[in-house]
Amino acid sequence: MMKHLIAPSMLASDLGRINEEIVMINNSEADWIHVDVMDGHFVPNITFGPNIVEAMAKFAQKPLDVHLMIEKPERYVQSYINAGASILTVHLEACTHLHSVISMIRDKGIKAGVSINPHTHVESLEDILEELDMVLIMSVNPGFGGQKFIHRTLAKLRRLREMVTERNLQILIEVDGGIGLQNAQPLLMAGANVLVAGSSIFGTPDPLDTIRKFKAIGSDSW
Ligand code: DX5
Ligand code: ZN
């Protein structure tokens, strides 16, 4: 059992004040900084290249949790590690040779995660689970912040938690999309231990206080 982790998503931050936003996270109770990388192919939006992530890393005093929503992510693993990623998560749906991509990331000495889209079964992870540091369950269709939480995610989290417990693994389970203070606790109870939140943190008048409230939810989680 561990205290759950909170990863504010930079996608929802004020990018014109990116340094100040990162300093706010540094001064908060947040655990990680979530960075959404999009390529305009895997998802219909384009965001942060390695140079931007490197600029964030200069100010960040917390691990950069880099979520690659890009096709053939193996092409950019080294660039995002050089930029300062501590955790690299790739999408199962974007990799032909997922096992080799995960090995490539871990061999370079950082943590590796696999993310699945809302329509992908958690059972698809069965043969890769033991190689992972983290699974990221998408609770919206990836591409944009501010979308509505997909309720079915709760059942997926429960099933994944069972799979992890049955195998006696120590994998982190992160959930991302449409998460706010109002629906966070059921997610933790269903099996998540890392919550990503974008608009529900940066869209509030006092993000520091919102992060504090996210951390104060429940007690211990998985
Ligand atoms: C969506 C991204 C999310 C996004 C979440 O593709 O992976 O990390 O920032 O934003 P909210 O919390 O606003 O749903
Ligand atoms: Zn994300």
Side-chain angles (χ1 to χ4, degrees):
M1 297 282 264
M2 57 176 265
K3 183 75 186 164
H4 59 271
L5 308 182
I6 300 297
S9 171
M10 291 304 293
L11 190 63
S13 70
D14 180 349
L15 295 170
R17 301 170 37 251
I18 198 161
N19 298 352
E20 290 164 53
E21 298 284 51
I22 289 175
V23 170
M24 183 281 289
I25 299 176
N26 288 343
N27 293 331
S28 78
E29 291 181 35
D31 300 277
W32 295 348
I33 302 177
H34 187 80
V35 183
D36 288 305
V37 174
M38 306 187 187
D39 67 350
H41 289 277
F42 182 67
V43 290
N45 196 1
I46 300 180
T47 59
F48 313 124
N51 55 342
I52 306 285
V53 175
E54 194 178 346
M56 292 178 185
K58 282 204 181 103
F59 288 89
Q61 291 167 2
K62 312 221 171 183
L64 294 183
D65 168 34
V66 177
H67 177 192
L68 295 179
M69 284 161 276
I70 64 177
E71 295 285 356
K72 298 191 173 44
E74 60 276 11
R75 296 172 299 160
Y76 293 99
V77 163
Q78 189 64 56
S79 307
Y80 282 96
I81 292 176
N82 292 349
S86 293
I87 304 155
L88 265 189
T89 296
V90 298
H91 267 262
L92 177 144
E93 303 86 356
C95 297
T96 306
H97 299 290
L98 183 62
H99 188 281
S100 84
V101 181
I102 293 304
S103 307
M104 181 194 283
I105 297 171
R106 293 184 108 188
D107 287 351
K108 293 176 190 299
I110 69 160
K111 287 189 163 55
V114 169
S115 182
I116 57 171
N117 282 333
H119 73 276
T120 302
H121 297 158
V122 286
E123 282 77 8
S124 318
L125 296 164
E126 195 136 22
D127 291 319
I128 192 82
L129 211 49
E130 295 182 11
E131 316 295 330
L132 304 180
D133 298 296
M134 182 165 84
V135 173
L136 167 49
I137 303 279
M138 287 307 299
S139 41
V140 296
N141 286 291
F144 301 94
Q147 302 181 77
K148 188 171 175 297
F149 177 80
I150 296 171
H151 190 73
R152 167 85 195 149
T153 309
L154 284 161
K156 292 177 74 170
L157 285 171
R158 278 186 217 109
R159 177 68 195 122
L160 178 60
R161 175 53 63 189
E162 272 173 21
M163 288 166 62
V164 167
T165 306
E166 276 164 16
R167 290 165 181 72
N168 204 15
L169 300 172
Q170 299 296 319
I171 299 172
L172 292 165
I173 301 182
E174 184 174 50
V175 58
D176 181 9
I179 299 170
L181 290 170
Q182 79 294 344
N183 63 357
Q185 187 163 34
L187 296 173
L188 298 174
M189 290 175 68
N193 50 17
V194 186
L195 302 180
V196 176
S199 25
S200 68
I201 288 177
F202 290 99
T204 50
D206 188 348
L208 268 180
D209 187 54
T210 307
I211 293 169
R212 192 186 55 72
K213 287 180 177 142
F214 264 112
K215 281 297 282 186
I217 291 168
S219 51
D220 292 322
S221 84
W222 302 93

